[in-house]
Amino acid sequence: MSPVTEEQPQSDVVKEHGTLKYSLLGPSLTKPGQNGVDQQKVSEIIYEASKGSKYFNNEEARDKNLTQKIERISKKKEDLERLDLGHDRRKAEQFIDDLEVSRDLSQTIVHIDCDAFYAAVEELDKPELKDVPFSVGKGVLTTCNYHARKFGCRSGMAGFVAKKLCPQLIQIPLNFDKYAAKAQEVRKIIVDYDPRFESASIDEAYLNITEYCNTNNIEPAAAVEQLRKEVHEKTHITISAGIAANAKLAKICSNQNKPNGQYQLPNDRNAIMAFMRDLPTRKVNGVGRVFERELDAVGIKTCGDIYACRQYLSKLFGEKAFVFLTGCYLGLGRTSVQPAEEFERKSVGTESTFGEMSGPSAFHAQLRWTAEELEKDMVRAQFKGRTLCLKIKLHTYEVFTRQVVPQKPIFEADDLYKYALPMLVKLEQEFPRIKLRLMGLRCTHLVSMKKPDTLAFFGFKTKAPADVGEAISDSSLKRKAEEMESEKWETYDERLFEDAERLEREDELKDLESLGQEFDKRKHHGKEIVPNPKRTEAIEEEWWDCPICSRPQTPDEKEFNEHIDLCLSRQTIRDVVQESAVIGTNLSTLAPPKKMKLERGKSKPSSGDPKQRKLFFG
DNA sequence: GCGGATCAC
DNA sequence: TATGGTGATCCGC
């Protein structure tokens, strides 16, 4: 099969094949490397490969839903057009005028993005891959090189679909450590251009080079040329860059001449307005497949089209979207750039997909395993959670979440399991004979367990002496909140807990019976997993008692050592908690919440794999 | 505040 | 045969 190269506008693809096929093309359709690919042909192949699968059926249902939602929006706009919205129009215009006054053209912001990063790193190790189409990530493609993109392969695409598009595609597994090390090499270089650069993900960063250009008496474009050259020479990675007056524009610009190119949008109001006028909405960070369709339904295809709809936006999409869209129309964005470590983390979670699973005993064993995984992450991140959220995905790909507020912040597997189990049991009752393909747990409303020193080390402000009074009143507020939580607790259906405990006892018996039959068949990331290794391995072999927590552990030496490490870090957490109790400090006040500017779709400080993030920041 | 949905990477 | 994991935000209720 040869690459498909006929050009076809996206809008035609939608018209001729319907929204479902457009949706099936995936979220990265507009990403670089797809220009000149015949999306119609690609869409056809994906459709045929997917048709009839459970995934496909779910996508079909979602698309139907969305189509209805969009019809409602269209209808609503028609209704609004018949009304006199003079007031709304003037209000919108006033807001736009106010925004215009706030425009800041004094800064030079750069967004840099490594080209097909994981694939590029793999090519350095395996030069033989350079001239063949290949992807990184099995099952689902994490990324692929530009050869593979010519066939329509994209990140997020199922591996078997990619193989249909490109039978000679080579798929190689992920090597996170390698990418992390390479990313660190790149960062070592860019820190010279802005010591306070902001990592947006493993392979992306924002820099404010205003000062660098001033002190070195160099033009922004030349500075970025030099930066890119330096990165290429020292790391053998090519990067693309966007240069503009703010982060939003810089991000868009870095996609303009990808790969291995740069684009500068002058800090000039007319140039910016002209650039935005013709820019498809989808190019803006925060506008995805859904919002793109919703905007299209009211006649907005480019950012320039936004102005004509100014009086409707708020009523159609809400106040936040109105603010976001007017910002897009004007080409405004934040000019602040700050290290990712200074952003406050809001949740810690883990989830995993497995072969279809049914039956309470398997569910509960999986939950136990998930709880233990989350505990490890909570300990690593040094947080407790005030809220626990359970997520499941049915075999039909429908997703459900349920959350609970424990009596006190939790992080240990036993507690995570204890509080999650009733939610799971209730879901089992809600959906009789339910089958699962994913389970996850997440803690939110985090309470930091980091030592003050650690916080200071990472640049967090600790409470100044003058603020002690505030800290104390925070403590009493916290106590009040806890009282309220425990009242809520009492209203929680106790019978569920009794149910859950009874079921758990039954599970243990069943586990003994079905041991090695049910679980061992399941695969997890290509290797066998046993949801509850402790319980299963202990049947035939002896326990080893942990010298710290005294609890029986698996005799597997590696796992045993891991457990000891865990116990030691737990011990550290307990020390911190005790310490803070003694000095009367409310740990949760040490890292005051930072307000973030509205920037739709912004997620920070995330990276492709937040677990890997720790390699860079902690 | 909860649960669903969307988005980024 | 077969479609990921982590984190954030917004909206409707």
Side-chain angles (χ1 to χ4, degrees):
Chain A
M1 190 181 294
S2 63
V4 276
T5 51
E6 290 163 48
E7 182 94 28
Q8 173 139 16
Q10 280 164 39
S11 55
D12 290 357
V13 176
V14 176
K15 266 182 225 150
E16 291 167 27
H17 294 267
T19 53
L20 176 59
K21 284 186 184 176
Y22 182 60
S23 171
L24 287 169
L25 280 169
S28 50
L29 170 64
T30 55
K31 289 285 157 78
Q34 291 298 323
N35 290 343
V37 176
D38 182 352
Q39 297 300 341
Q40 188 185 327
K41 215 172 269 182
V42 170
S43 152
E44 213 59 54
I45 293 169
I46 298 176
Y47 188 89
E48 286 305 315
S50 304
K51 206 161 57 181
S53 69
K54 287 171 182 163
Y55 173 82
F56 177 92
N57 292 338
N58 183 249
E59 286 300 302
E60 199 171 36
R62 281 167 49 109
D63 183 70
K64 221 173 154 185
N65 248 337
L66 179 59
T67 302
Q68 284 175 7
K69 185 182 170 194
I70 283 167
E71 276 165 14
R72 284 199 301 274
I73 290 171
S74 293
K75 174 88 172 57
K76 192 165 173 184
K77 197 204 168 197
E78 281 170 28
D79 292 345
L80 289 175
E81 276 171 339
R82 290 193 213 99
L83 301 174
D84 174 30
L85 294 182
H87 173 73
D88 296 71
R89 201 188 66 242
R90 281 187 295 277
K91 220 180 96 186
E93 283 166 8
Q94 182 60 50
F95 183 74
I96 289 171
D97 288 347
D98 291 348
L99 279 185
E100 184 58 57
V101 171
S102 78
R103 189 190 290 272
D104 179 3
L105 296 174
S106 68
Q107 304 298 303
T108 304
I109 309 299
V110 178
H111 178 257
I112 65 167
D113 196 335
C114 301
D115 304 320
F117 184 56
Y118 293 179
V121 176
E122 293 296 344
E123 277 181 16
L124 291 180
D125 276 6
K126 307 184 181 83
E128 68 274 17
L129 288 174
K130 235 175 177 146
D131 301 312
V132 297
F134 79 97
S135 70
V136 184
K138 294 192 168 166
V140 169
L141 313 192
T142 299
T143 191
C144 51
N145 66 356
Y146 280 76
H147 288 298
R149 292 182 195 196
K150 282 187 291 193
F151 293 85
C153 298
R154 279 185 287 271
S155 64
M157 183 177 276
F160 74 95
V161 174
K163 274 277 189 185
K164 285 248 160 73
L165 287 166
C166 176
Q168 69 271 42
L169 182 78
I170 294 170
Q171 301 185 57
I172 59 176
L174 287 156
N175 281 296
F176 270 121
D177 295 347
K178 236 166 45 179
Y179 316 141
K182 189 52 93 175
Q184 207 50 329
E185 288 179 35
V186 176
R187 284 172 188 158
K188 233 166 141 178
I189 296 163
I190 65 180
V191 73
D192 288 339
Y193 293 80
D194 179 5
R196 283 183 54 76
F197 76 91
E198 178 176 321
S199 289
S201 73
I202 188 169
D203 69 333
E204 277 179 52
Y206 290 95
L207 290 75
N208 184 335
I209 59 164
T210 314
E211 202 174 311
Y212 181 89
C213 290
N214 283 340
T215 58
N216 293 285
N217 195 23
I218 187 172
E219 287 300 311
V224 172
E225 286 280 2
Q226 177 193 307
L227 162 68
R228 290 177 42 239
K229 185 161 171 264
E230 196 179 338
V231 168
H232 188 220
E233 280 169 2
K234 291 186 179 165
T235 70
H236 306 106
I237 288 286
T238 66
I239 64 176
S240 299
I243 310 161
N246 61 57
K248 186 191 276 170
L249 295 174
K251 167 83 183 167
I252 296 164
C253 289
S254 69
N255 274 324
Q256 212 68 15
N257 284 325
K258 227 171 192 318
N260 197 15
Q262 65 184 63
Y263 180 87
Q264 180 174 21
L265 179 58
N267 285 23
D268 172 85
R269 182 180 180 273
N270 289 337
I272 294 170
M273 292 298 286
F275 182 79
M276 297 312 285
R277 195 184 57 225
D278 300 324
L279 188 76
T281 56
R282 187 72 154 80
K283 299 277 185 187
V284 182
N285 217 326
V287 180
R289 278 176 293 180
V290 172
F291 202 26
E292 177 191 31
R293 275 187 62 191
E294 291 177 358
L295 290 170
D296 187 81
V298 298
I300 299 175
K301 292 187 194 302
T302 71
C303 293
D305 297 335
I306 290 167
Y307 188 76
C309 274
R310 60 198 179 285
Q311 66 264 50
Y312 309 120
L313 295 175
S314 179
K315 287 189 162 65
L316 288 172
F317 304 113
E319 195 62 25
K320 298 273 187 191
F322 165 73
V323 173
F324 170 75
L325 289 169
T326 47
C328 291
Y329 164 68
L330 293 168
L332 298 176
R334 69 185 165 102
T335 52
S336 66
V337 167
Q338 60 173 329
E341 309 91 274
E342 292 179 16
F343 285 88
E344 178 205 12
R345 192 169 181 178
K346 296 192 174 60
S347 73
V348 179
T350 183
E351 64 187 57
S352 47
T353 296
F354 34 77
E356 248 168 54
M357 181 192 283
S358 60
S361 91
F363 294 162
H364 300 182
Q366 182 65 37
L367 182 65
R368 179 77 218 175
W369 184 82
T370 308
E372 281 167 18
E373 288 298 298
L374 182 55
E375 179 190 278
K376 288 180 208 163
D377 290 342
M378 296 295 284
V379 169
R380 268 196 289 262
Q382 298 270 287
F383 282 113
K384 289 186 177 187
R386 293 185 166 282
T387 305
L388 177 64
C389 181
L390 170 72
K391 172 176 172 180
I392 57 167
K393 194 189 278 178
L394 274 45
H395 66 294
T396 56
Y397 287 85
E398 292 166 290
V399 174
F400 297 93
T401 63
R402 293 290 181 269
Q403 60 182 43
V404 67
V405 181
Q407 280 169 304
K408 56 182 201 308
I410 59 172
F411 74 98
E412 284 172 304
D414 285 349
D415 286 331
L416 297 169
Y417 181 74
K418 183 172 98 188
Y419 287 99
L421 188 56
M423 295 191 278
L424 183 58
V425 168
K426 199 170 173 191
L427 284 165
E428 286 165 20
Q429 292 167 357
E430 259 178 73
F431 306 96
R433 290 179 301 285
I434 166 181
K435 279 189 273 186
L436 298 186
R437 79 182 323 276
L438 171 145
M439 187 183 289
L441 285 175
R442 176 169 300 274
C443 282
T444 60
H445 299 109
L446 300 179
V447 179
S448 175
M449 291 289 119
K450 290 189 184 99
K451 284 188 179 176
D453 282 351
T454 314
L455 290 171
F457 179 76
F458 285 114
F460 285 90
K461 280 187 200 137
T462 50
K463 286 276 170 191
D467 286 333
V468 166
E470 195 194 321
I472 290 169
S473 82
D474 277 355
S475 289
S476 62
L477 274 178
K478 190 179 153 197
R479 272 200 300 280
K480 179 71 189 162
E482 277 166 5
E483 278 168 29
M484 288 163 75
E485 274 166 17
S486 51
E487 273 168 34
K488 189 173 183 173
W489 175 254
E490 281 160 24
T491 67
Y492 203 94
D493 193 348
E494 287 290 332
R495 282 167 305 177
L496 279 176
F497 278 96
E498 289 161 18
D499 249 10
E501 280 172 22
R502 182 178 49 77
L503 279 167
E504 192 184 2
R505 282 195 299 276
E506 288 173 12
D507 280 354
E508 283 175 12
L509 291 172
K510 281 186 201 156
D511 284 352
L512 291 177
E513 290 164 13
S514 63
L515 194 75
Q517 296 165 22
E518 199 171 356
F519 300 145
D520 290 355
K521 284 179 207 147
R522 280 202 304 277
K523 303 274 181 179
H524 180 71
H525 295 305
K527 66 173 190 212
E528 306 271 345
I529 62 150
V530 181
N532 190 346
K534 285 182 198 167
R535 212 188 274 172
T536 51
E537 286 179 24
I539 307 303
E540 293 166 6
E541 302 176 57
E542 285 172 34
W543 296 104
W544 287 6
D545 283 341
C546 169
I548 298 156
C549 70
S550 311
R551 282 186 281 199
Q553 301 302 322
T554 165
D556 178 279
E557 192 175 335
K558 188 163 163 281
E559 279 187 41
F560 185 71
N561 285 332
E562 276 173 12
H563 171 82
I564 303 251
D565 286 345
L566 198 61
C567 257
L568 283 170
S569 16
R570 271 192 213 164
Q571 201 65 42
T572 313
I573 285 188
R574 292 206 182 90
D575 290 346
V576 176
V577 174
Q578 281 186 358
E579 232 172 78
S580 69
V582 171
I583 60 174
T585 314
N586 181 348
L587 285 169
S588 66
T589 66
L590 287 172
K594 286 192 185 359
K595 289 240 165 69
M596 255 166 61
K597 247 189 179 170
L598 176 81
E599 196 158 337
R600 197 185 162 100
K602 190 159 192 66
S603 62
K604 211 183 286 216
S606 86
S607 80
D609 183 341
K611 282 187 184 177
Q612 296 301 315
R613 231 188 95 246
K614 283 181 273 294
L615 292 169
F616 317 123
F617 305 131

